[in-house]
Amino acid sequence: CSFSSSKLSRCVLFISLFFTFFLAMHTSAHRLQRVPNPGPSPAPTPKPKPGPSPGPAPEPAPPKAHNMTFPAIFAFGDSILDTGNNDYIMTLIKADFLPYGMNFPDGVPTGRFCNGKIPSDFIADYLGVKPIVPAYLRPGLTKEDLLTGVSFASGGSGFDPLTPIVVSAIPMSKQLTYFQEYIEKVKGFVGKEKAEHIISQGLAIVVAGSDDLANTYYGEHLEEFLYDIDSYTTFMANSATSFAMQLYESGARKIGFIGISPIGCIPIQRTSRGGLRRKCAKELNFAAQLFNSKLSTSLNALARTLQNTTLVYIDIYAAFDDMIQNPKKYGFDEIDRGCCGTGLFELGPLCNKFTSLLCKNVSSYMFWDSYHPTERAYKILSQKFVENDMGPFYENK
């Protein structure tokens, strides 16, 4: 996840957008003619009812343990799973400075777009793989780091190849190249047979798509010249399915794609698209649901053609939406602004220790900055994932 359609964010982050626009048009022009079918109108998103302050936020209990273990975890996609890869590339989409990481072990900013741990860390921990997942590009990775899995994700990336170009993130195609490079390193450590076991029995998690919609399509409008939202979400789903097939061809056999959350309700979209009352942006939420539906259908169709493989779509929209509609149930007091700064538009360079004040109790906030959830929100969502969505992976041992 990177930056939205906010004019202020664009002024800070996309200085060269004028030139990038022409590159973008050249990259996109050959792919698809515009299809005049925008799909049905999105349904309104209900506003959560206010309630009394619940006091200290309760901590979720660890998920139930399973007998099956995974030798490694591999993360692909955008900032939801990026554990620091953007620290080592030329991009403005970074989080390697305080207050990012203020609640991470030792209070160290690592490039995670959060105040602490993110889903790739929690999932690996809950599954008994390791406490945190290192970034593949981090120098000095040990043999043990590599053998138990790494993150290839990059904040600002997406299924649309144009999305990472605009912000100089790591494209999904390059993440696959790194994965293949990684496999060769593992073979050098443990041999071909053992390496193939680690890759086939490891869990590959993919999270992307929100930047395609929030930034490339609705933010900078770079794809609206060629696509309506129906055809664009079809293109995204086809790109995601192709990525799944390439993971399979690389040896992965346990692959989970997590869908897009209600991105119209993240603070920066409320600020830029929600009017004076900062309501959820219904258009973006509809687009997210449309993509999720197509991704689920495409992956299910592909899964039927792949032998000895678990390929599943994992819905996050409903769980995320429930947190927004029922914040008191989860111990949140604030769900429409981030903890950093005003919480209305700050993220990345705009959320820093020199210019941004912080909220008093970060655990009572659902969002850390104007785009990314807090560590505590991620912890709740990750627990739900491990408890409710891992069944197919355990069934196909």
Side-chain angles (χ1 to χ4, degrees):
C1 304
S2 57
F3 293 81
S4 82
S5 58
S6 163
K7 292 182 179 179
L8 178 57
S9 297
R10 290 205 296 264
C11 289
V12 174
L13 296 173
F14 305 123
I15 300 171
S16 62
L17 185 58
F18 178 79
F19 300 100
T20 307
F21 173 80
F22 292 98
L23 174 63
M25 291 300 296
H26 177 73
T27 304
S28 306
H30 69 283
R31 288 205 303 259
L32 184 66
Q33 296 299 317
R34 183 176 177 88
V35 180
N37 178 18
S41 300
T45 303
K47 183 178 180 181
K49 297 180 180 180
S53 177
E59 285 298 317
K64 298 177 182 178
H66 289 266
N67 292 330
M68 181 181 175
T69 59
F70 299 85
I73 183 169
F74 315 110
F76 303 87
D78 56 29
S79 60
I80 303 301
L81 301 181
D82 183 358
T83 57
N85 285 307
N86 277 19
D87 293 357
Y88 309 103
I89 63 174
M90 295 295 292
T91 178
L92 289 174
I93 312 302
K94 293 180 182 289
D96 56 347
F97 47 83
L98 290 171
Y100 287 97
M102 58 179 276
N103 299 118
F104 197 76
D106 299 323
V108 177
T110 60
R112 289 166 170 81
F113 292 81
C114 187
N115 59 302
K117 293 182 179 182
I118 60 176
S120 37
D121 301 313
F122 284 121
I123 294 171
D125 190 20
Y126 289 153
L127 295 180
V129 179
K130 54 185 173 183
I132 60 173
V133 178
Y136 177 66
L137 295 184
R138 195 189 81 190
L141 292 179
T142 66
K143 175 182 176 180
E144 181 62 25
D145 287 332
L146 291 170
L147 293 182
T148 51
V150 291
S151 172
F152 303 93
S154 173
S157 196
F159 292 123
D160 183 347
L162 176 59
T163 299
I165 289 177
V166 175
V167 296
S168 299
I170 303 172
M172 301 295 284
S173 58
K174 183 65 173 179
Q175 294 181 34
L176 278 171
T177 300
Y178 283 141
F179 184 47
Q180 292 156 4
E181 178 184 280
Y182 160 84
I183 293 172
E184 293 305 312
K185 290 182 180 180
V186 173
K187 287 180 180 178
F189 286 132
V190 298
K192 184 174 182 292
E193 184 176 348
K194 179 64 174 178
E196 289 177 349
H197 172 80
I198 291 172
I199 302 306
S200 65
Q201 297 305 306
L203 178 65
I205 298 293
V206 185
V207 177
S210 60
D211 288 314
D212 296 322
L213 293 176
N215 302 335
T216 306
Y217 193 84
Y218 286 109
E220 302 302 337
H221 307 285
L222 296 178
E223 294 286 35
E224 283 188 287
F225 297 96
L226 296 175
Y227 301 90
D228 58 33
I229 192 57
D230 185 48
S231 56
Y232 187 62
T233 50
T234 296
F235 163 64
M236 288 172 59
N238 290 340
S239 178
T241 305
S242 175
F243 188 83
M245 189 64 198
Q246 292 175 82
L247 283 176
Y248 172 82
E249 292 172 347
S250 296
R253 293 295 181 268
K254 299 181 184 300
I255 307 167
F257 277 71
I258 298 177
I260 300 179
S261 66
I263 54 174
C265 295
I266 64 176
I268 197 164
Q269 295 300 338
R270 289 176 181 266
T271 300
S272 61
R273 294 177 173 273
L276 295 177
R277 298 180 64 182
R278 299 185 66 248
K279 296 181 179 180
C280 292
K282 294 182 290 185
E283 191 175 26
L284 266 75
N285 283 348
F286 166 72
Q289 292 173 300
L290 189 61
F291 167 73
N292 289 343
S293 175
K294 293 177 179 181
L295 177 63
S296 175
T297 300
S298 297
L299 292 178
N300 287 337
L302 177 60
R304 289 193 291 269
T305 70
L306 304 179
Q307 294 184 347
N308 301 317
T309 299
T310 304
L311 172 63
V312 297
Y313 164 77
I314 298 147
D315 175 57
I316 196 66
Y317 192 101
F320 203 96
D321 188 58
D322 189 53
M323 292 170 69
I324 293 171
Q325 304 306 328
N326 304 285
K328 306 303 179 184
K329 172 181 173 182
Y330 300 94
F332 292 119
D333 294 327
E334 291 285 350
I335 52 90
D336 63 355
R337 64 181 61 221
C339 173
C340 186
T342 64
L344 305 179
F345 60 86
E346 295 94 342
L347 67 160
L350 299 179
C351 174
N352 63 78
K353 66 179 181 180
F354 300 106
T355 64
S356 301
L357 298 175
L358 293 175
C359 63
K360 293 182 179 179
N361 182 13
V362 64
S363 66
S364 68
Y365 278 65
M366 183 173 174
F367 291 94
W368 163 246
D369 58 20
S370 68
Y371 206 117
H372 304 96
T374 57
E375 178 186 60
R376 185 169 171 274
Y378 276 146
K379 186 175 184 179
I380 294 171
L381 291 169
S382 299
Q383 178 180 329
K384 285 180 176 290
F385 165 76
V386 172
E387 289 185 338
N388 303 328
D389 300 302
M390 289 296 296
F393 297 104
Y394 295 124
E395 293 165 6
N396 185 17
K397 296 183 180 180

